[in-house]
Amino acid sequence: MTDENRLREDIASIGRSLHERGLSPGSSGNISARLDDGWLLTPTNACLGSLDPADIAKLSWDGRHLSGKPASKEAFLHRAMYEGSDDSGAIVHLHCTHSAAVSCLDCLDASSCLPPLTPYFVMRVGRLPLIPYHRPGDPRLGDAIRGLAGKHSAVLLANHGPVVAGKNLEAAAYAIEELEETAKLYLLLRQQPVRLLDDEQIEELRQTFGARW
C-alpha cells in the first residue's frame, strides 16, 4: 500500500470514529492531510461516517483537482491553515456540539475563547482565537485564518465550529476531541467559581511539553 493510499484509509477511519461518537452530525465537517505532492481533503457534502477512501479528493497546492470526488467547499480554509504553518500535517474541522455552542456566545475573549481549565487543553490546543463570522464557503475566511495559523494550532469560527491542525491525523483528531471536551467543561462550569491553571503551571507545560499558550 502506498503512503497516499494508507493516508486515505486513515482519513476514512478517523472520520468514521468521529461520526460514530456524534462529533460530526450529518454531512458536516471535513478532514485533510498533507502529501509530498499535494494534499487530500474529504469530498463536498460527504458524511465522515461513510467515506470511501478512493473518493477523497486530491488537490495540488495551486488548487487544481487531481483525483477523487470534488473537494469540500471549505478547501480554502484548510489551505490557509497549511500555508501558515509548515509543521501542520493534517487538519480537522468539525461542527461538534459544545464547541459550536461556545462559538455562538457573545462574551468570548477573541484572543483566547476557552480558559486554561486543564493541562491537556493547554498542551494539545493552546490559545484558541475567535475568527469573526463569515458565511460557509466565503473565501474571505481564508484571509482571516491565514494571519493566525502560524501562531496557533487551532481557531474557533464564530457561529460555526473549530478548525484544528496537528503534525499528523492522529494528533489533529486528538486535539479537536480535547477542544470539544474543554468546551463541554466550560459550559458546565459557567456561573461557578473555577480554579484555572496559573501562569507558573502554564509555563511548566510550555517548558516540558512545548505547549503553545
Coordinates of all heavy atoms in Angstrom, one line a residue, residues 30-115:
N30 N -15.0 18.3 7.9 CA -14.1 17.9 6.8 C -12.7 17.6 7.4 O -12.3 18.2 8.4 CB -14.0 18.9 5.6 CG -14.3 20.3 6.0 OD1 -13.4 20.9 6.6 ND2 -15.5 20.8 5.7
I31 N -11.9 16.8 6.7 CA -10.6 16.3 7.2 C -9.7 16.4 6.0 O -10.0 16.1 4.9 CB -10.6 14.9 7.7 CG1 -11.7 14.7 8.8 CG2 -9.3 14.4 8.2 CD1 -11.9 13.3 9.3
S32 N -8.4 16.9 6.3 CA -7.4 16.9 5.2 C -6.1 16.4 5.8 O -5.9 16.4 7.0 CB -7.3 18.3 4.7 OG -6.7 19.2 5.6
A33 N -5.2 16.1 4.8 CA -3.8 15.6 5.2 C -2.9 16.0 4.1 O -3.2 16.0 2.9 CB -3.8 14.1 5.5
R34 N -1.7 16.4 4.5 CA -0.6 16.8 3.6 C 0.1 15.6 3.0 O 0.4 14.6 3.7 CB 0.4 17.6 4.4 CG 1.4 18.3 3.5 CD 2.5 18.9 4.4 NE 2.1 20.0 5.2 CZ 2.2 21.3 4.9 NH1 2.6 21.7 3.7 NH2 1.7 22.2 5.7
L35 N 0.4 15.7 1.7 CA 1.2 14.7 0.9 C 2.4 15.4 0.4 O 2.5 16.7 0.4 CB 0.4 14.2 -0.2 CG -0.8 13.3 0.1 CD1 -1.6 13.1 -1.2 CD2 -0.4 12.0 0.6
D36 N 3.4 14.6 -0.1 CA 4.6 15.2 -0.7 C 4.3 16.0 -2.0 O 4.9 16.9 -2.3 CB 5.6 14.2 -1.0 CG 6.2 13.6 0.3 OD1 6.2 14.3 1.3 OD2 6.7 12.4 0.2
D37 N 3.2 15.5 -2.7 CA 2.9 16.1 -4.0 C 1.5 16.7 -4.0 O 0.8 16.7 -5.0 CB 3.0 15.0 -5.1 CG 2.1 13.8 -4.8 OD1 1.6 13.7 -3.7 OD2 1.9 13.1 -5.8
G38 N 1.1 17.2 -2.9 CA -0.3 17.9 -2.8 C -0.9 17.6 -1.4 O -0.2 17.4 -0.5
W39 N -2.2 17.5 -1.4 CA -2.9 17.2 -0.2 C -4.3 16.5 -0.4 O -4.8 16.7 -1.5 CB -3.0 18.4 0.7 CG -3.7 19.6 0.1 CD1 -3.2 20.4 -1.0 CD2 -4.9 20.3 0.5 NE1 -4.1 21.4 -1.2 CE2 -5.1 21.4 -0.4 CE3 -5.8 20.0 1.5 CZ2 -6.2 22.2 -0.2 CZ3 -6.9 20.8 1.6 CH2 -7.1 21.9 0.8
L40 N -4.7 15.8 0.6 CA -6.0 15.1 0.5 C -7.1 15.9 1.3 O -6.8 16.4 2.4 CB -5.9 13.7 1.0 CG -4.9 12.8 0.3 CD1 -4.8 11.4 1.1 CD2 -5.3 12.5 -1.1
L41 N -8.3 15.9 0.8 CA -9.4 16.5 1.5 C -10.7 15.7 1.3 O -11.0 15.3 0.2 CB -9.6 18.0 1.0 CG -10.7 18.8 1.6 CD1 -10.6 19.0 3.1 CD2 -10.8 20.1 0.9
T42 N -11.5 15.6 2.3 CA -12.8 14.9 2.2 C -13.7 15.6 1.2 O -13.6 16.8 1.0 CB -13.5 14.8 3.5 OG1 -13.5 16.0 4.2 CG2 -12.7 13.8 4.4
P43 N -14.5 14.9 0.5 CA -15.4 15.5 -0.6 C -16.5 16.4 0.0 O -16.8 16.3 1.1 CB -16.0 14.3 -1.3 CG -15.2 13.1 -0.8 CD -14.7 13.4 0.5
T44 N -17.0 17.2 -0.9 CA -18.1 18.1 -0.5 C -19.4 17.3 -0.2 O -19.6 16.2 -0.9 CB -18.4 19.1 -1.7 OG1 -19.4 20.0 -1.2 CG2 -18.9 18.4 -2.9
N45 N -20.1 17.7 0.7 CA -21.4 17.0 1.1 C -21.2 15.5 1.5 O -22.1 14.7 1.4 CB -22.4 17.1 0.0 CG -22.9 18.6 -0.2 OD1 -23.0 19.3 0.7 ND2 -23.0 18.9 -1.5
A46 N -20.0 15.2 2.0 CA -19.8 13.8 2.4 C -20.0 13.6 3.9 O -19.7 14.5 4.7 CB -18.3 13.4 2.0
C47 N -20.6 12.5 4.3 CA -20.7 12.1 5.7 C -19.3 11.5 6.1 O -18.9 10.6 5.5 CB -21.8 11.1 5.8 SG -21.9 10.4 7.5
L48 N -18.8 12.0 7.2 CA -17.5 11.5 7.6 C -17.6 10.0 8.1 O -16.6 9.3 8.2 CB -16.9 12.3 8.8 CG -16.5 13.8 8.4 CD1 -15.8 14.4 9.6 CD2 -15.7 13.8 7.2
G49 N -18.8 9.6 8.4 CA -19.0 8.2 8.8 C -19.0 7.2 7.8 O -19.0 6.0 8.0
S50 N -19.1 7.6 6.5 CA -19.2 6.6 5.4 C -18.3 7.0 4.2 O -18.7 6.9 3.1 CB -20.6 6.4 4.9 OG -21.2 7.7 4.6
L51 N -17.1 7.4 4.5 CA -16.1 7.8 3.5 C -15.6 6.6 2.7 O -15.2 5.6 3.3 CB -15.0 8.6 4.1 CG -15.3 10.0 4.7 CD1 -14.1 10.6 5.4 CD2 -15.8 11.0 3.6
D52 N -15.5 6.7 1.4 CA -14.8 5.8 0.6 C -13.4 6.3 0.3 O -13.3 7.5 -0.2 CB -15.5 5.6 -0.7 CG -14.9 4.5 -1.6 OD1 -13.7 4.3 -1.5 OD2 -15.6 4.0 -2.5
P53 N -12.4 5.7 0.8 CA -11.0 6.2 0.6 C -10.7 6.7 -0.8 O -10.1 7.7 -1.0 CB -10.1 5.1 1.0 CG -10.9 4.3 2.0 CD -12.3 4.4 1.5
A54 N -11.3 6.0 -1.8 CA -11.0 6.3 -3.2 C -11.7 7.6 -3.6 O -11.3 8.3 -4.6 CB -11.4 5.2 -4.1
D55 N -12.7 8.0 -2.9 CA -13.5 9.3 -3.2 C -12.8 10.5 -2.7 O -13.2 11.6 -3.1 CB -14.9 9.2 -2.7 CG -15.8 8.2 -3.4 OD1 -15.4 7.8 -4.6 OD2 -16.8 7.8 -2.9
I56 N -11.9 10.4 -1.7 CA -11.3 11.5 -1.1 C -10.5 12.3 -2.1 O -9.8 11.8 -2.9 CB -10.4 11.1 0.1 CG1 -11.2 10.5 1.2 CG2 -9.6 12.3 0.6 CD1 -10.5 9.8 2.3
A57 N -10.8 13.6 -2.2 CA -10.2 14.5 -3.2 C -8.7 14.7 -3.0 O -8.2 14.8 -1.8 CB -10.9 15.8 -3.2
K58 N -7.9 14.7 -4.1 CA -6.5 15.1 -4.0 C -6.4 16.4 -4.8 O -6.8 16.5 -5.9 CB -5.6 14.0 -4.7 CG -4.1 14.3 -4.6 CD -3.3 13.2 -5.2 CE -1.8 13.5 -5.1 NZ -0.9 12.4 -5.6
L59 N -5.7 17.3 -4.1 CA -5.5 18.7 -4.7 C -4.1 19.0 -4.8 O -3.2 18.6 -4.0 CB -6.2 19.7 -3.8 CG -7.7 19.5 -3.6 CD1 -8.2 20.4 -2.5 CD2 -8.5 19.7 -4.8
S60 N -3.7 19.9 -5.8 CA -2.4 20.4 -5.8 C -2.4 21.7 -4.9 O -3.4 22.2 -4.6 CB -2.0 20.8 -7.3 OG -2.8 21.9 -7.7
W61 N -1.2 22.2 -4.7 CA -1.1 23.4 -3.8 C -1.6 24.6 -4.5 O -1.8 25.7 -3.9 CB 0.3 23.5 -3.3 CG 0.6 22.5 -2.2 CD1 1.5 21.5 -2.3 CD2 0.0 22.3 -1.0 NE1 1.5 20.7 -1.2 CE2 0.6 21.2 -0.3 CE3 -1.0 23.0 -0.3 CZ2 0.2 20.7 0.9 CZ3 -1.4 22.6 1.0 CH2 -0.8 21.4 1.6
D62 N -1.7 24.6 -5.8 CA -2.2 25.7 -6.6 C -3.7 25.6 -6.8 O -4.3 26.4 -7.6 CB -1.5 26.0 -7.9 CG -1.6 24.8 -8.8 OD1 -2.3 23.8 -8.6 OD2 -0.9 24.9 -9.9
G63 N -4.4 24.6 -6.2 CA -5.8 24.5 -6.2 C -6.4 23.6 -7.2 O -7.6 23.4 -7.3
R64 N -5.6 22.9 -8.0 CA -6.1 22.0 -9.1 C -6.6 20.7 -8.5 O -6.0 20.2 -7.5 CB -5.0 21.7 -10.1 CG -4.7 22.9 -11.0 CD -3.6 22.5 -12.0 NE -2.3 22.3 -11.4 CZ -1.7 21.1 -11.4 NH1 -2.2 20.1 -12.0 NH2 -0.5 21.0 -10.8
H65 N -7.7 20.2 -9.0 CA -8.3 18.9 -8.5 C -7.6 17.8 -9.3 O -7.6 17.8 -10.5 CB -9.8 18.9 -8.8 CG -10.4 17.6 -8.4 ND1 -10.7 16.6 -9.3 CD2 -10.9 17.2 -7.2 CE1 -11.3 15.6 -8.6 NE2 -11.4 16.0 -7.4
L66 N -6.9 16.9 -8.6 CA -6.1 15.9 -9.3 C -6.8 14.5 -9.3 O -6.6 13.8 -10.3 CB -4.8 15.7 -8.5 CG -3.9 17.0 -8.4 CD1 -2.7 16.7 -7.6 CD2 -3.6 17.5 -9.8
S67 N -7.6 14.2 -8.3 CA -8.3 12.9 -8.3 C -9.4 12.9 -7.2 O -9.4 13.8 -6.4 CB -7.3 11.7 -8.1 OG -6.7 11.8 -6.8
G68 N -10.2 11.8 -7.2 CA -11.3 11.7 -6.3 C -12.5 12.6 -6.6 O -12.5 13.2 -7.7
K69 N -13.4 12.6 -5.7 CA -14.6 13.5 -6.0 C -14.3 14.9 -5.7 O -13.3 15.3 -5.1 CB -15.8 13.0 -5.0 CG -16.4 11.6 -5.4 CD -17.6 11.3 -4.6 CE -18.3 10.1 -5.2 NZ -19.5 9.8 -4.4
P70 N -15.2 15.8 -6.1 CA -15.0 17.3 -5.8 C -14.8 17.5 -4.3 O -15.4 17.0 -3.5 CB -16.3 17.9 -6.3 CG -16.8 17.0 -7.3 CD -16.4 15.6 -6.9
A71 N -13.8 18.4 -4.0 CA -13.4 18.6 -2.6 C -14.4 19.5 -1.9 O -15.2 20.2 -2.5 CB -12.0 19.3 -2.6
S72 N -14.4 19.4 -0.6 CA -15.2 20.3 0.2 C -15.1 21.8 -0.2 O -14.0 22.2 -0.6 CB -14.8 20.2 1.7 OG -15.3 21.2 2.5
K73 N -16.2 22.5 -0.1 CA -16.2 23.9 -0.5 C -15.4 24.7 0.5 O -15.1 25.9 0.3 CB -17.7 24.4 -0.5 CG -18.4 24.4 0.9 CD -19.8 25.0 0.8 CE -20.5 25.0 2.1 NZ -20.8 23.6 2.5
E74 N -15.0 24.1 1.6 CA -14.1 24.8 2.6 C -12.6 24.5 2.4 O -11.8 24.6 3.3 CB -14.6 24.5 4.0 CG -16.0 25.1 4.3 CD -16.5 24.8 5.6 OE1 -16.3 23.6 6.1 OE2 -17.1 25.7 6.2
A75 N -12.3 24.1 1.2 CA -10.9 23.7 0.9 C -10.0 24.9 1.2 O -8.8 24.7 1.7 CB -10.7 23.3 -0.6
F76 N -10.4 26.1 0.9 CA -9.6 27.3 1.1 C -9.2 27.5 2.6 O -8.2 28.0 3.0 CB -10.3 28.6 0.6 CG -11.6 28.8 1.4 CD1 -11.6 29.6 2.5 CD2 -12.8 28.3 0.9 CE1 -12.7 29.9 3.2 CE2 -13.9 28.6 1.6 CZ -13.9 29.3 2.7
L77 N -10.1 27.0 3.5 CA -9.9 27.1 4.9 C -8.7 26.3 5.3 O -7.8 26.7 6.1 CB -11.2 26.7 5.6 CG -11.4 26.7 7.1 CD1 -12.9 26.7 7.4 CD2 -10.8 25.5 7.8
H78 N -8.7 25.0 4.8 CA -7.6 24.1 5.1 C -6.3 24.7 4.5 O -5.3 24.6 5.2 CB -7.9 22.7 4.6 CG -9.0 22.0 5.3 ND1 -8.8 20.9 6.1 CD2 -10.4 22.2 5.3 CE1 -10.0 20.5 6.6 NE2 -10.9 21.3 6.1
R79 N -6.4 25.1 3.3 CA -5.2 25.6 2.6 C -4.6 26.8 3.4 O -3.4 26.9 3.5 CB -5.5 26.0 1.2 CG -4.3 26.4 0.4 CD -4.7 26.7 -1.1 NE -3.6 27.2 -1.8 CZ -3.7 27.6 -3.1 NH1 -4.9 27.5 -3.7 NH2 -2.7 28.1 -3.7
A80 N -5.4 27.7 3.9 CA -4.9 28.8 4.7 C -4.2 28.4 5.9 O -3.2 28.9 6.3 CB -6.1 29.7 5.0
M81 N -4.7 27.3 6.6 CA -4.0 26.8 7.8 C -2.7 26.2 7.4 O -1.7 26.4 8.1 CB -4.9 25.7 8.4 CG -6.1 26.3 9.2 SD -5.7 27.1 10.7 CE -5.4 25.8 11.8
Y82 N -2.6 25.4 6.3 CA -1.3 24.8 5.9 C -0.3 25.9 5.5 O 0.9 25.8 5.8 CB -1.6 23.9 4.7 CG -2.2 22.6 5.0 CD1 -3.4 22.2 4.4 CD2 -1.6 21.7 5.9 CE1 -4.0 21.0 4.7 CE2 -2.2 20.5 6.2 CZ -3.4 20.1 5.6 OH -4.0 18.9 5.9
E83 N -0.8 26.9 4.8 CA 0.1 28.0 4.3 C 0.7 28.7 5.5 O 1.8 29.3 5.4 CB -0.6 29.0 3.4 CG -0.9 28.4 2.0 CD -1.8 29.3 1.2 OE1 -2.3 30.3 1.7 OE2 -2.0 29.0 0.0
G84 N 0.0 28.8 6.6 CA 0.5 29.5 7.8 C 1.4 28.7 8.6 O 2.1 29.3 9.5
S85 N 1.5 27.4 8.4 CA 2.4 26.5 9.3 C 2.9 25.4 8.5 O 2.2 24.5 8.1 CB 1.5 26.1 10.5 OG 2.3 25.2 11.3
D86 N 4.2 25.3 8.4 CA 4.9 24.2 7.7 C 4.8 22.9 8.6 O 5.1 21.8 8.1 CB 6.3 24.5 7.4 CG 6.4 25.6 6.3 OD1 5.5 25.8 5.5 OD2 7.5 26.3 6.3
D87 N 4.5 23.1 9.9 CA 4.5 21.9 10.8 C 3.2 21.1 10.7 O 3.1 20.0 11.3 CB 4.7 22.4 12.2 CG 6.1 23.0 12.4 OD1 7.0 22.7 11.7 OD2 6.2 23.9 13.3
S88 N 2.2 21.7 10.1 CA 0.9 21.0 10.1 C 0.8 19.9 9.0 O 1.0 20.2 7.8 CB -0.2 22.1 9.8 OG -0.3 23.1 10.8
G89 N 0.5 18.7 9.5 CA 0.4 17.6 8.6 C -1.0 17.2 8.3 O -1.3 16.4 7.3
A90 N -1.9 17.7 9.1 CA -3.3 17.3 8.9 C -4.2 18.3 9.6 O -3.8 19.0 10.6 CB -3.6 15.9 9.5
I91 N -5.5 18.5 9.2 CA -6.4 19.4 9.7 C -7.8 18.8 9.9 O -8.2 18.1 9.0 CB -6.5 20.7 8.9 CG1 -5.2 21.4 8.9 CG2 -7.6 21.6 9.3 CD1 -5.0 22.5 7.8
V92 N -8.4 19.0 11.0 CA -9.8 18.5 11.2 C -10.7 19.7 11.5 O -10.3 20.6 12.4 CB -9.9 17.5 12.3 CG1 -11.3 17.0 12.5 CG2 -9.0 16.3 12.1
H93 N -11.8 19.8 10.8 CA -12.8 20.9 11.1 C -14.1 20.2 11.3 O -14.6 19.4 10.5 CB -12.9 21.8 9.9 CG -14.1 22.7 9.9 ND1 -14.5 23.4 11.0 CD2 -15.1 22.9 8.9 CE1 -15.6 24.1 10.7 NE2 -16.0 23.8 9.5
L94 N -14.7 20.5 12.5 CA -16.0 19.9 12.9 C -17.0 20.9 13.3 O -16.6 22.1 13.6 CB -15.8 18.9 14.1 CG -14.8 17.7 13.8 CD1 -14.7 16.9 15.1 CD2 -15.3 16.8 12.7
H95 N -18.3 20.5 13.4 CA -19.3 21.3 13.9 C -19.8 20.7 15.2 O -21.0 20.7 15.5 CB -20.5 21.4 12.9 CG -20.1 22.0 11.6 ND1 -21.0 21.9 10.5 CD2 -19.0 22.6 11.2 CE1 -20.4 22.5 9.5 NE2 -19.2 22.9 9.8
C96 N -18.9 20.1 16.0 CA -19.2 19.4 17.2 C -20.0 20.3 18.2 O -19.7 21.5 18.3 CB -18.0 18.8 17.9 SG -16.5 19.8 17.8
T97 N -20.9 19.7 18.9 CA -22.0 20.5 19.6 C -21.4 21.5 20.6 O -21.8 22.7 20.6 CB -22.9 19.5 20.4 OG1 -23.4 18.6 19.5 CG2 -24.0 20.3 21.1
H98 N -20.6 21.1 21.5 CA -20.2 22.1 22.6 C -19.3 23.2 22.1 O -19.4 24.3 22.5 CB -19.5 21.3 23.8 CG -20.4 20.3 24.4 ND1 -20.5 19.0 24.0 CD2 -21.4 20.4 25.4 CE1 -21.4 18.3 24.7 NE2 -22.0 19.2 25.5
S99 N -18.4 22.8 21.2 CA -17.5 23.8 20.6 C -18.3 24.8 19.8 O -18.1 26.0 19.8 CB -16.4 23.2 19.7 OG -15.6 22.3 20.5
A100 N -19.3 24.3 19.0 CA -20.2 25.2 18.2 C -21.0 26.1 19.1 O -21.2 27.3 18.8 CB -21.1 24.4 17.3
A101 N -21.4 25.5 20.3 CA -22.2 26.3 21.2 C -21.4 27.5 21.8 O -21.8 28.6 21.9 CB -22.7 25.4 22.4
V102 N -20.1 27.2 22.1 CA -19.2 28.2 22.6 C -19.0 29.3 21.5 O -19.0 30.5 21.8 CB -17.9 27.6 23.1 CG1 -16.9 28.8 23.3 CG2 -18.1 26.8 24.3
S103 N -18.9 28.9 20.3 CA -18.7 29.8 19.2 C -19.9 30.8 19.0 O -19.7 31.8 18.3 CB -18.4 29.1 17.9 OG -19.6 28.6 17.3
C104 N -21.0 30.5 19.6 CA -22.2 31.4 19.5 C -22.3 32.4 20.6 O -23.2 33.3 20.6 CB -23.5 30.5 19.4 SG -23.6 29.4 18.0
L105 N -21.5 32.2 21.7 CA -21.6 33.1 22.8 C -21.0 34.5 22.5 O -20.1 34.6 21.7 CB -20.8 32.5 24.0 CG -21.3 31.2 24.5 CD1 -20.3 30.7 25.6 CD2 -22.7 31.3 25.1
D106 N -21.6 35.5 23.1 CA -21.2 36.9 22.8 C -20.3 37.5 23.8 O -20.0 38.7 23.8 CB -22.4 37.8 22.6 CG -23.2 38.0 23.8 OD1 -22.9 37.4 24.9 OD2 -24.3 38.7 23.7
C107 N -19.8 36.6 24.8 CA -19.0 37.1 25.9 C -17.5 36.6 25.8 O -16.8 36.7 26.7 CB -19.6 36.7 27.2 SG -19.7 34.9 27.4
L108 N -17.1 36.1 24.6 CA -15.8 35.5 24.5 C -14.7 36.5 24.4 O -14.8 37.6 23.8 CB -15.8 34.6 23.2 CG -16.8 33.4 23.2 CD1 -16.8 32.7 21.9 CD2 -16.6 32.5 24.4
D109 N -13.5 36.1 24.9 CA -12.3 36.8 24.7 C -11.8 36.3 23.3 O -11.4 35.2 23.1 CB -11.3 36.4 25.7 CG -9.9 37.0 25.5 OD1 -9.7 37.6 24.5 OD2 -9.0 36.8 26.4
A110 N -11.8 37.3 22.3 CA -11.5 36.9 20.9 C -10.1 36.4 20.8 O -9.8 35.7 19.8 CB -11.7 38.1 20.0
S111 N -9.2 36.7 21.7 CA -7.8 36.2 21.6 C -7.6 34.8 22.2 O -6.6 34.1 21.9 CB -6.9 37.2 22.3 OG -7.1 37.2 23.7
S112 N -8.6 34.4 23.0 CA -8.5 33.1 23.7 C -9.9 32.7 24.2 O -10.3 33.0 25.3 CB -7.5 33.2 24.8 OG -7.2 31.9 25.3
C113 N -10.6 31.9 23.3 CA -12.0 31.7 23.6 C -12.3 30.8 24.8 O -13.3 30.9 25.4 CB -12.7 31.0 22.4 SG -12.7 32.0 20.9
L114 N -11.4 29.9 25.1 CA -11.5 29.0 26.2 C -10.4 29.2 27.2 O -9.2 29.3 26.8 CB -11.6 27.5 25.8 CG -12.8 27.1 25.0 CD1 -12.6 25.7 24.4 CD2 -14.0 27.2 25.9
P115 N -10.7 29.2 28.5 CA -9.6 29.4 29.5 C -8.8 28.1 29.8 O -9.2 27.0 29.4 CB -10.4 29.8 30.8 CG -11.7 29.1 30.6 CD -12.0 29.1 29.1

